[in-house]
Amino acid sequence: MDDSRVQWSDLPPEILPIIGKSLETYIEVLRFRSVCRSWRASLPPFNIVSSLLPLDLPSPIFTADHLTDALLIRRVIYRLSPLDHQHSSDSASSSSFAAEGWLAKVESTKLGTMRFLHPLSTRYVKYDNEVFRKEVNLLDFRIYEVAKSYTLGYTNGALVPRITKVVMFPDCPWIDVKYCTIVAVYAGGKLGFAKHGDYKWTLIDDRNFHYDDVIVYKGQFYAVDRWGTIFWIDSSMRLVQFSPPLCGFGNQKHLVESDDELYVVDRFLDKEPLLWNADIFHIHWLNNLIEDSPPKVIDFKVHRLDQEWGRWVEVRNLGNQSFVLGNDCCFSISAPKFEGVKGSCIYFTHAPRSTLGYNTHYFELKYKRIAKASIHDNEPIFGPPPIWLNLEATRYEEHASDNLYVSAC
């Protein structure tokens, strides 16, 4: 029987752009263009079709320094794993990393340059010695995009304070970010939006200043307030109630998408956090950082929205899925794909809005138990980078200057 298979490089050239335009992430475009010369020529590079971030925006917060201009910064959470599992099998300390993946948060600073951050915080990875490879070829690894996160920073390098969450839509390689809409929760619960070229942020709701989270779900902006009511934001940037109030008594609500379902995670603290005040927020912010005993998590409750019946269903088991509640992004991961990660758990830090709080803990839904997650407790997902990436000697810094130079064929 004749072998009728066609080589990838022999596909009709008119098909290639159609395939390429269906790709939605930077890594997908990079992989596509790396197949062969004809594929590379059929699709423009990522930076040509979409302007690179950071994107100039007005700042929603006015500080004592009178800084009014801000930058939108994108960070991407990836699952990285080596192509050759035998590469790390010689080392007992790295075998667990080779078996599965490592969760990495990456920030692009300029073309060809990236920086690693702790997955649950805004801290950069600082490299302590020369073991780290300054040049890393992304084609040497299996890479899967898990989630995107955004933050606002000033042109002097500092982060804009009092920002709870930032999201952008649309966000794909084929749409210039200058035509996208940015929505944020800021100043203790205000919900507003801005676009490139705007001179100020516009409030979406000028009566309710108690929003906790906002995400992009099925191509729409969704926000949740302190009472667990979910709203979706229509094309005219008006709120439409999407769910009944959850009436949860937790201190903070998080929105998480998992398997196309929408969840609310209710975070319970042992005491009320210090409230923001529009006039003296600098004092409250400082007190919150130096307080001897800041609020700590004592419980979580998870609810899924039954969209058919418009009601909340409490979830006591997530199966193989686990939720990750970061400073700037909440997402779901499949535990079997990450060595050491437990299923049906919530990974978090005790200080979600503080860049100083990056020690990772996990909450087991079944047993209602909180434990610390670290590499010493066989929880390598949020530990230092694995040996196969040659990043084993690292620490986390607030402002690290080391950059990762990324190359691809």
PDB file of all heavy atoms in Angstrom, residues 188 226 251 269 271-277 281-295 353:
ATOM      1  N   GLY A 188      -9.573  50.026  46.336  1.00  0.00           N
ATOM      2  CA  GLY A 188     -10.385  49.389  47.358  1.00  0.00           C
ATOM      3  C   GLY A 188     -11.696  48.815  46.888  1.00  0.00           C
ATOM      4  O   GLY A 188     -12.476  48.333  47.701  1.00  0.00           O
ATOM      5  N   ARG A 226     -18.497  42.263  46.700  1.00  0.00           N
ATOM      6  CA  ARG A 226     -18.247  41.667  48.013  1.00  0.00           C
ATOM      7  C   ARG A 226     -19.358  40.714  48.443  1.00  0.00           C
ATOM      8  O   ARG A 226     -19.135  39.839  49.277  1.00  0.00           O
ATOM      9  CB  ARG A 226     -18.113  42.775  49.060  1.00  0.00           C
ATOM     10  CG  ARG A 226     -16.997  43.754  48.775  1.00  0.00           C
ATOM     11  CD  ARG A 226     -15.633  43.222  49.108  1.00  0.00           C
ATOM     12  NE  ARG A 226     -14.585  44.024  48.505  1.00  0.00           N
ATOM     13  CZ  ARG A 226     -14.120  45.169  49.016  1.00  0.00           C
ATOM     14  NH1 ARG A 226     -14.626  45.626  50.140  1.00  0.00           N
ATOM     15  NH2 ARG A 226     -13.162  45.844  48.393  1.00  0.00           N
ATOM     16  N   ASN A 251     -14.226  37.411  53.334  1.00  0.00           N
ATOM     17  CA  ASN A 251     -13.674  38.758  53.242  1.00  0.00           C
ATOM     18  C   ASN A 251     -13.318  39.164  51.815  1.00  0.00           C
ATOM     19  O   ASN A 251     -13.169  40.344  51.530  1.00  0.00           O
ATOM     20  CB  ASN A 251     -12.420  38.864  54.109  1.00  0.00           C
ATOM     21  CG  ASN A 251     -12.708  38.592  55.574  1.00  0.00           C
ATOM     22  OD1 ASN A 251     -12.647  37.445  56.022  1.00  0.00           O
ATOM     23  ND2 ASN A 251     -13.034  39.633  56.324  1.00  0.00           N
ATOM     24  N   LEU A 269     -10.857  35.425  56.422  1.00  0.00           N
ATOM     25  CA  LEU A 269      -9.687  35.842  57.196  1.00  0.00           C
ATOM     26  C   LEU A 269      -9.994  35.827  58.680  1.00  0.00           C
ATOM     27  O   LEU A 269     -11.159  35.887  59.092  1.00  0.00           O
ATOM     28  CB  LEU A 269      -9.245  37.247  56.775  1.00  0.00           C
ATOM     29  CG  LEU A 269      -8.944  37.449  55.284  1.00  0.00           C
ATOM     30  CD1 LEU A 269      -8.633  38.917  55.012  1.00  0.00           C
ATOM     31  CD2 LEU A 269      -7.812  36.560  54.825  1.00  0.00           C
ATOM     32  N   LYS A 271      -9.340  38.152  60.718  1.00  0.00           N
ATOM     33  CA  LYS A 271      -9.776  39.481  61.147  1.00  0.00           C
ATOM     34  C   LYS A 271      -9.913  40.363  59.918  1.00  0.00           C
ATOM     35  O   LYS A 271      -9.373  40.065  58.847  1.00  0.00           O
ATOM     36  CB  LYS A 271      -8.798  40.097  62.140  1.00  0.00           C
ATOM     37  CG  LYS A 271      -7.402  40.331  61.584  1.00  0.00           C
ATOM     38  CD  LYS A 271      -6.514  40.955  62.648  1.00  0.00           C
ATOM     39  CE  LYS A 271      -5.104  41.176  62.136  1.00  0.00           C
ATOM     40  NZ  LYS A 271      -4.247  41.797  63.160  1.00  0.00           N
ATOM     41  N   GLU A 272     -10.631  41.435  60.065  1.00  0.00           N
ATOM     42  CA  GLU A 272     -10.847  42.341  58.952  1.00  0.00           C
ATOM     43  C   GLU A 272      -9.541  43.034  58.573  1.00  0.00           C
ATOM     44  O   GLU A 272      -8.806  43.514  59.431  1.00  0.00           O
ATOM     45  CB  GLU A 272     -11.888  43.413  59.320  1.00  0.00           C
ATOM     46  CG  GLU A 272     -13.309  42.910  59.337  1.00  0.00           C
ATOM     47  CD  GLU A 272     -13.828  42.607  57.939  1.00  0.00           C
ATOM     48  OE1 GLU A 272     -13.336  43.214  56.976  1.00  0.00           O
ATOM     49  OE2 GLU A 272     -14.729  41.751  57.817  1.00  0.00           O
ATOM     50  N   PRO A 273      -9.224  43.087  57.269  1.00  0.00           N
ATOM     51  CA  PRO A 273      -8.038  43.837  56.853  1.00  0.00           C
ATOM     52  C   PRO A 273      -8.266  45.326  57.004  1.00  0.00           C
ATOM     53  O   PRO A 273      -9.408  45.798  57.071  1.00  0.00           O
ATOM     54  CB  PRO A 273      -7.882  43.446  55.382  1.00  0.00           C
ATOM     55  CG  PRO A 273      -9.262  43.096  54.939  1.00  0.00           C
ATOM     56  CD  PRO A 273      -9.938  42.473  56.156  1.00  0.00           C
ATOM     57  N   LEU A 274      -7.182  46.073  57.060  1.00  0.00           N
ATOM     58  CA  LEU A 274      -7.309  47.525  57.135  1.00  0.00           C
ATOM     59  C   LEU A 274      -7.969  48.041  55.871  1.00  0.00           C
ATOM     60  O   LEU A 274      -7.615  47.664  54.758  1.00  0.00           O
ATOM     61  CB  LEU A 274      -5.928  48.169  57.287  1.00  0.00           C
ATOM     62  CG  LEU A 274      -5.219  47.903  58.621  1.00  0.00           C
ATOM     63  CD1 LEU A 274      -3.807  48.475  58.582  1.00  0.00           C
ATOM     64  CD2 LEU A 274      -5.996  48.528  59.766  1.00  0.00           C
ATOM     65  N   LEU A 275      -8.954  48.915  56.042  1.00  0.00           N
ATOM     66  CA  LEU A 275      -9.698  49.428  54.899  1.00  0.00           C
ATOM     67  C   LEU A 275      -8.924  50.553  54.234  1.00  0.00           C
ATOM     68  O   LEU A 275      -8.228  51.336  54.877  1.00  0.00           O
ATOM     69  CB  LEU A 275     -11.068  49.948  55.360  1.00  0.00           C
ATOM     70  CG  LEU A 275     -12.001  48.895  55.966  1.00  0.00           C
ATOM     71  CD1 LEU A 275     -13.279  49.564  56.437  1.00  0.00           C
ATOM     72  CD2 LEU A 275     -12.325  47.801  54.949  1.00  0.00           C
ATOM     73  N   TRP A 276      -9.067  50.624  52.911  1.00  0.00           N
ATOM     74  CA  TRP A 276      -8.464  51.727  52.181  1.00  0.00           C
ATOM     75  C   TRP A 276      -9.273  53.001  52.416  1.00  0.00           C
ATOM     76  O   TRP A 276     -10.474  52.974  52.592  1.00  0.00           O
ATOM     77  CB  TRP A 276      -8.440  51.424  50.688  1.00  0.00           C
ATOM     78  CG  TRP A 276      -7.555  50.291  50.322  1.00  0.00           C
ATOM     79  CD1 TRP A 276      -7.929  49.054  49.901  1.00  0.00           C
ATOM     80  CD2 TRP A 276      -6.132  50.280  50.360  1.00  0.00           C
ATOM     81  NE1 TRP A 276      -6.825  48.273  49.673  1.00  0.00           N
ATOM     82  CE2 TRP A 276      -5.716  48.997  49.941  1.00  0.00           C
ATOM     83  CE3 TRP A 276      -5.162  51.229  50.713  1.00  0.00           C
ATOM     84  CZ2 TRP A 276      -4.374  48.640  49.861  1.00  0.00           C
ATOM     85  CZ3 TRP A 276      -3.833  50.864  50.626  1.00  0.00           C
ATOM     86  CH2 TRP A 276      -3.457  49.592  50.206  1.00  0.00           C
ATOM     87  N   ASN A 277      -8.579  54.099  52.418  1.00  0.00           N
ATOM     88  CA  ASN A 277      -9.230  55.394  52.531  1.00  0.00           C
ATOM     89  C   ASN A 277      -8.682  56.287  51.426  1.00  0.00           C
ATOM     90  O   ASN A 277      -7.475  56.371  51.236  1.00  0.00           O
ATOM     91  CB  ASN A 277      -8.961  56.020  53.899  1.00  0.00           C
ATOM     92  CG  ASN A 277      -9.677  57.346  54.081  1.00  0.00           C
ATOM     93  OD1 ASN A 277      -9.268  58.360  53.522  1.00  0.00           O
ATOM     94  ND2 ASN A 277     -10.739  57.336  54.862  1.00  0.00           N
ATOM     95  N   PHE A 281      -4.720  56.818  52.116  1.00  0.00           N
ATOM     96  CA  PHE A 281      -4.442  55.417  51.794  1.00  0.00           C
ATOM     97  C   PHE A 281      -2.971  55.086  51.958  1.00  0.00           C
ATOM     98  O   PHE A 281      -2.618  53.948  52.223  1.00  0.00           O
ATOM     99  CB  PHE A 281      -4.905  55.090  50.378  1.00  0.00           C
ATOM    100  CG  PHE A 281      -4.033  55.624  49.282  1.00  0.00           C
ATOM    101  CD1 PHE A 281      -2.963  54.889  48.826  1.00  0.00           C
ATOM    102  CD2 PHE A 281      -4.305  56.849  48.702  1.00  0.00           C
ATOM    103  CE1 PHE A 281      -2.163  55.371  47.808  1.00  0.00           C
ATOM    104  CE2 PHE A 281      -3.513  57.331  47.690  1.00  0.00           C
ATOM    105  CZ  PHE A 281      -2.439  56.599  47.233  1.00  0.00           C
ATOM    106  N   HIS A 282      -2.079  56.074  51.826  1.00  0.00           N
ATOM    107  CA  HIS A 282      -0.666  55.789  51.998  1.00  0.00           C
ATOM    108  C   HIS A 282      -0.379  55.303  53.419  1.00  0.00           C
ATOM    109  O   HIS A 282       0.408  54.381  53.629  1.00  0.00           O
ATOM    110  CB  HIS A 282       0.165  57.046  51.708  1.00  0.00           C
ATOM    111  CG  HIS A 282       0.252  57.375  50.258  1.00  0.00           C
ATOM    112  ND1 HIS A 282      -0.549  58.318  49.669  1.00  0.00           N
ATOM    113  CD2 HIS A 282       1.029  56.870  49.264  1.00  0.00           C
ATOM    114  CE1 HIS A 282      -0.260  58.396  48.390  1.00  0.00           C
ATOM    115  NE2 HIS A 282       0.681  57.532  48.109  1.00  0.00           N
ATOM    116  N   ILE A 283      -1.060  55.902  54.407  1.00  0.00           N
ATOM    117  CA  ILE A 283      -0.852  55.495  55.796  1.00  0.00           C
ATOM    118  C   ILE A 283      -1.383  54.095  56.012  1.00  0.00           C
ATOM    119  O   ILE A 283      -0.736  53.241  56.631  1.00  0.00           O
ATOM    120  CB  ILE A 283      -1.538  56.495  56.748  1.00  0.00           C
ATOM    121  CG1 ILE A 283      -0.927  57.892  56.574  1.00  0.00           C
ATOM    122  CG2 ILE A 283      -1.423  56.040  58.197  1.00  0.00           C
ATOM    123  CD1 ILE A 283      -1.614  58.958  57.385  1.00  0.00           C
ATOM    124  N   HIS A 284      -2.560  53.801  55.503  1.00  0.00           N
ATOM    125  CA  HIS A 284      -3.146  52.477  55.661  1.00  0.00           C
ATOM    126  C   HIS A 284      -2.310  51.410  54.945  1.00  0.00           C
ATOM    127  O   HIS A 284      -2.112  50.314  55.458  1.00  0.00           O
ATOM    128  CB  HIS A 284      -4.574  52.470  55.115  1.00  0.00           C
ATOM    129  CG  HIS A 284      -5.554  53.100  56.066  1.00  0.00           C
ATOM    130  ND1 HIS A 284      -6.842  53.384  55.689  1.00  0.00           N
ATOM    131  CD2 HIS A 284      -5.428  53.492  57.352  1.00  0.00           C
ATOM    132  CE1 HIS A 284      -7.487  53.935  56.718  1.00  0.00           C
ATOM    133  NE2 HIS A 284      -6.636  54.016  57.727  1.00  0.00           N
ATOM    134  N   TRP A 285      -1.808  51.767  53.763  1.00  0.00           N
ATOM    135  CA  TRP A 285      -0.988  50.819  53.016  1.00  0.00           C
ATOM    136  C   TRP A 285       0.266  50.475  53.799  1.00  0.00           C
ATOM    137  O   TRP A 285       0.643  49.315  53.933  1.00  0.00           O
ATOM    138  CB  TRP A 285      -0.637  51.422  51.664  1.00  0.00           C
ATOM    139  CG  TRP A 285       0.282  50.570  50.831  1.00  0.00           C
ATOM    140  CD1 TRP A 285      -0.027  49.412  50.193  1.00  0.00           C
ATOM    141  CD2 TRP A 285       1.650  50.841  50.549  1.00  0.00           C
ATOM    142  NE1 TRP A 285       1.069  48.939  49.530  1.00  0.00           N
ATOM    143  CE2 TRP A 285       2.110  49.780  49.719  1.00  0.00           C
ATOM    144  CE3 TRP A 285       2.543  51.852  50.891  1.00  0.00           C
ATOM    145  CZ2 TRP A 285       3.423  49.731  49.245  1.00  0.00           C
ATOM    146  CZ3 TRP A 285       3.832  51.797  50.414  1.00  0.00           C
ATOM    147  CH2 TRP A 285       4.260  50.746  49.615  1.00  0.00           C
ATOM    148  N   LEU A 286       0.913  51.488  54.379  1.00  0.00           N
ATOM    149  CA  LEU A 286       2.122  51.257  55.155  1.00  0.00           C
ATOM    150  C   LEU A 286       1.821  50.436  56.401  1.00  0.00           C
ATOM    151  O   LEU A 286       2.549  49.502  56.742  1.00  0.00           O
ATOM    152  CB  LEU A 286       2.756  52.600  55.542  1.00  0.00           C
ATOM    153  CG  LEU A 286       4.059  52.528  56.345  1.00  0.00           C
ATOM    154  CD1 LEU A 286       5.125  51.795  55.543  1.00  0.00           C
ATOM    155  CD2 LEU A 286       4.540  53.928  56.708  1.00  0.00           C
ATOM    156  N   ASN A 287       0.722  50.760  57.091  1.00  0.00           N
ATOM    157  CA  ASN A 287       0.359  50.005  58.291  1.00  0.00           C
ATOM    158  C   ASN A 287       0.088  48.540  57.966  1.00  0.00           C
ATOM    159  O   ASN A 287       0.429  47.643  58.735  1.00  0.00           O
ATOM    160  CB  ASN A 287      -0.885  50.615  58.948  1.00  0.00           C
ATOM    161  CG  ASN A 287      -0.568  51.932  59.639  1.00  0.00           C
ATOM    162  OD1 ASN A 287       0.591  52.213  59.940  1.00  0.00           O
ATOM    163  ND2 ASN A 287      -1.587  52.743  59.882  1.00  0.00           N
ATOM    164  N   ASN A 288      -0.514  48.300  56.817  1.00  0.00           N
ATOM    165  CA  ASN A 288      -0.831  46.928  56.442  1.00  0.00           C
ATOM    166  C   ASN A 288       0.428  46.096  56.213  1.00  0.00           C
ATOM    167  O   ASN A 288       0.455  44.892  56.445  1.00  0.00           O
ATOM    168  CB  ASN A 288      -1.689  46.920  55.177  1.00  0.00           C
ATOM    169  CG  ASN A 288      -2.413  45.602  54.974  1.00  0.00           C
ATOM    170  OD1 ASN A 288      -2.800  44.957  55.942  1.00  0.00           O
ATOM    171  ND2 ASN A 288      -2.585  45.213  53.733  1.00  0.00           N
ATOM    172  N   LEU A 289       1.502  46.768  55.759  1.00  0.00           N
ATOM    173  CA  LEU A 289       2.742  46.051  55.489  1.00  0.00           C
ATOM    174  C   LEU A 289       3.549  45.796  56.751  1.00  0.00           C
ATOM    175  O   LEU A 289       4.226  44.778  56.866  1.00  0.00           O
ATOM    176  CB  LEU A 289       3.599  46.849  54.494  1.00  0.00           C
ATOM    177  CG  LEU A 289       3.033  47.004  53.083  1.00  0.00           C
ATOM    178  CD1 LEU A 289       4.038  47.736  52.202  1.00  0.00           C
ATOM    179  CD2 LEU A 289       2.715  45.655  52.474  1.00  0.00           C
ATOM    180  N   ILE A 290       3.487  46.708  57.722  1.00  0.00           N
ATOM    181  CA  ILE A 290       4.335  46.578  58.906  1.00  0.00           C
ATOM    182  C   ILE A 290       3.565  46.047  60.104  1.00  0.00           C
ATOM    183  O   ILE A 290       4.149  45.862  61.168  1.00  0.00           O
ATOM    184  CB  ILE A 290       4.963  47.940  59.263  1.00  0.00           C
ATOM    185  CG1 ILE A 290       3.884  48.954  59.677  1.00  0.00           C
ATOM    186  CG2 ILE A 290       5.775  48.475  58.093  1.00  0.00           C
ATOM    187  CD1 ILE A 290       4.444  50.303  60.133  1.00  0.00           C
ATOM    188  N   GLU A 291       2.289  45.762  59.935  1.00  0.00           N
ATOM    189  CA  GLU A 291       1.488  45.257  61.034  1.00  0.00           C
ATOM    190  C   GLU A 291       2.074  43.947  61.549  1.00  0.00           C
ATOM    191  O   GLU A 291       2.475  43.066  60.781  1.00  0.00           O
ATOM    192  CB  GLU A 291       0.056  45.037  60.559  1.00  0.00           C
ATOM    193  CG  GLU A 291      -0.922  44.750  61.690  1.00  0.00           C
ATOM    194  CD  GLU A 291      -2.346  44.631  61.168  1.00  0.00           C
ATOM    195  OE1 GLU A 291      -2.519  44.657  59.943  1.00  0.00           O
ATOM    196  OE2 GLU A 291      -3.262  44.513  61.992  1.00  0.00           O
ATOM    197  N   ASP A 292       2.151  43.807  62.883  1.00  0.00           N
ATOM    198  CA  ASP A 292       2.776  42.632  63.485  1.00  0.00           C
ATOM    199  C   ASP A 292       2.048  41.350  63.103  1.00  0.00           C
ATOM    200  O   ASP A 292       2.675  40.314  62.883  1.00  0.00           O
ATOM    201  CB  ASP A 292       2.812  42.777  65.011  1.00  0.00           C
ATOM    202  CG  ASP A 292       3.763  43.886  65.450  1.00  0.00           C
ATOM    203  OD1 ASP A 292       4.684  44.193  64.673  1.00  0.00           O
ATOM    204  OD2 ASP A 292       3.575  44.426  66.545  1.00  0.00           O
ATOM    205  N   SER A 293       0.736  41.396  63.068  1.00  0.00           N
ATOM    206  CA  SER A 293      -0.035  40.190  62.749  1.00  0.00           C
ATOM    207  C   SER A 293      -1.078  40.527  61.687  1.00  0.00           C
ATOM    208  O   SER A 293      -2.241  40.776  62.001  1.00  0.00           O
ATOM    209  CB  SER A 293      -0.720  39.651  64.009  1.00  0.00           C
ATOM    210  OG  SER A 293      -1.554  40.639  64.589  1.00  0.00           O
ATOM    211  N   PRO A 294      -0.666  40.567  60.424  1.00  0.00           N
ATOM    212  CA  PRO A 294      -1.628  40.858  59.352  1.00  0.00           C
ATOM    213  C   PRO A 294      -2.662  39.757  59.259  1.00  0.00           C
ATOM    214  O   PRO A 294      -2.465  38.654  59.782  1.00  0.00           O
ATOM    215  CB  PRO A 294      -0.738  40.904  58.100  1.00  0.00           C
ATOM    216  CG  PRO A 294       0.456  40.089  58.448  1.00  0.00           C
ATOM    217  CD  PRO A 294       0.681  40.285  59.906  1.00  0.00           C
ATOM    218  N   PRO A 295      -3.796  40.015  58.616  1.00  0.00           N
ATOM    219  CA  PRO A 295      -4.843  39.000  58.502  1.00  0.00           C
ATOM    220  C   PRO A 295      -4.324  37.732  57.837  1.00  0.00           C
ATOM    221  O   PRO A 295      -3.545  37.780  56.891  1.00  0.00           O
ATOM    222  CB  PRO A 295      -5.913  39.687  57.648  1.00  0.00           C
ATOM    223  CG  PRO A 295      -5.652  41.151  57.804  1.00  0.00           C
ATOM    224  CD  PRO A 295      -4.173  41.288  57.970  1.00  0.00           C
ATOM    225  N   ARG A 353      -2.768  40.862  48.315  1.00  0.00           N
ATOM    226  CA  ARG A 353      -2.597  42.161  47.660  1.00  0.00           C
ATOM    227  C   ARG A 353      -1.251  42.792  47.981  1.00  0.00           C
ATOM    228  O   ARG A 353      -1.002  43.932  47.650  1.00  0.00           O
ATOM    229  CB  ARG A 353      -3.716  43.113  48.083  1.00  0.00           C
ATOM    230  CG  ARG A 353      -5.088  42.621  47.644  1.00  0.00           C
ATOM    231  CD  ARG A 353      -6.167  43.598  48.021  1.00  0.00           C
ATOM    232  NE  ARG A 353      -7.477  43.060  47.709  1.00  0.00           N
ATOM    233  CZ  ARG A 353      -8.607  43.689  47.974  1.00  0.00           C
ATOM    234  NH1 ARG A 353      -8.599  44.863  48.542  1.00  0.00           N
ATOM    235  NH2 ARG A 353      -9.763  43.127  47.669  1.00  0.00           N
TER     236      ARG A 353
END
